Amino acid sequence: MDKVYLTWWQVDRAIFALADELRKNFMPDVIVGVARGGLIPAVRLSHILGDLEVKVIDVKFYKDIDERMEKPVVTIPLHGSLEGKKVVIVDDVSDTGKTLEVVTEEVKKAGASEVKIACLSMKPWTKVVPDFYVFRTDKWIVFPWEEFPVVVRE
Ligand code: 5GP
């Protein structure tokens, strides 16, 4: 599969675009960040939107690029109640959409009154189109936090 490499600068601009959309259309009480890919955008959004509470959920679905397990499994469940809260779920990308389906279910079970999804990106074939997203691609996205310079020390 072709890959597209994003820089920190491109990702930060995308996060600011999401923040603008959220501010205008759906100011959440709580952000649920999907580990691992959604965590950096979730924390960044929390700071930009005024120190919003961030909760974490971890769902495992991929073993490797394009190698999926049968269905997503919640490995870190949501902690505490979301009773009556407006919640935005934040992830890096909606690919099949199955992860976001599971996370949405969990957020509703925790009592959220309203739930929206914000992602940096989506694939054209996803079955969960995020309420807010910045770009579409059919390539495998490599985010800047997935890459690191090789430092050789003597
Ligand atoms: P889905 O359940 O929508 O198929 O996959 C969601 C998760 O798989 C995302 O949260 C992300 O961590 C990972 N994923 C899916 N597609 C990509 C991609 O193109 N690049 C990266 N880095 N992760 C991806």
Side-chain angles (χ1 to χ4, degrees):
M1 188 187 273
D2 283 348
K3 290 183 183 173
V4 56
Y5 292 81
L6 299 183
T7 64
W8 284 103
W9 172 237
Q10 287 168 322
V11 169
D12 209 37
R13 279 175 49 185
I15 293 172
F16 266 92
L18 281 182
D20 273 353
E21 288 301 307
L22 287 168
R23 228 186 253 112
K24 280 186 216 141
N25 301 299
F26 183 76
M27 192 60 191
D29 302 311
V30 179
I31 295 172
V32 169
V34 184
R36 290 181 295 173
L39 294 185
I40 293 174
V43 170
R44 191 82 179 105
L45 277 172
S46 159
H47 285 283
I48 295 167
L49 293 174
D51 287 333
L52 296 185
E53 182 184 355
V54 176
K55 284 187 185 284
V56 174
I57 187 167
D58 192 7
V59 178
K60 287 272 172 291
F61 189 28
Y62 283 75
K63 290 183 197 158
D64 206 341
I65 291 185
D66 235 13
E67 197 195 339
R68 300 184 181 100
M69 302 181 328
E70 247 165 61
K71 62 178 197 150
V73 177
V74 177
T75 50
I76 301 176
L78 281 170
H79 181 71
S81 163
L82 288 170
E83 204 56 53
K85 301 282 188 193
K86 285 174 75 176
V87 175
V88 67
I89 297 166
V90 174
D91 206 353
D92 49 0
V93 46
S94 180
D95 194 316
T96 62
K98 288 188 180 173
T99 299
L100 287 166
E101 229 173 31
V102 170
V103 172
T104 303
E105 231 170 77
E106 295 296 304
V107 167
K108 285 183 178 161
K109 266 198 254 164
S113 59
E114 283 183 77
V115 186
K116 301 270 187 214
I117 297 171
C119 288
L120 298 174
S121 176
M122 62 165 265
K123 305 287 171 80
W125 49 77
T126 184
K127 62 173 173 172
V128 177
V129 176
D131 301 286
F132 309 100
Y133 69 91
V134 184
F135 68 99
R136 278 162 57 116
T137 179
D138 59 4
K139 300 190 168 67
W140 184 264
I141 307 159
V142 181
F143 292 95
W145 48 83
E146 295 171 330
E147 290 229 290
F148 47 90
V150 177
V151 179
V152 180
R153 293 206 171 88
E154 294 295 317

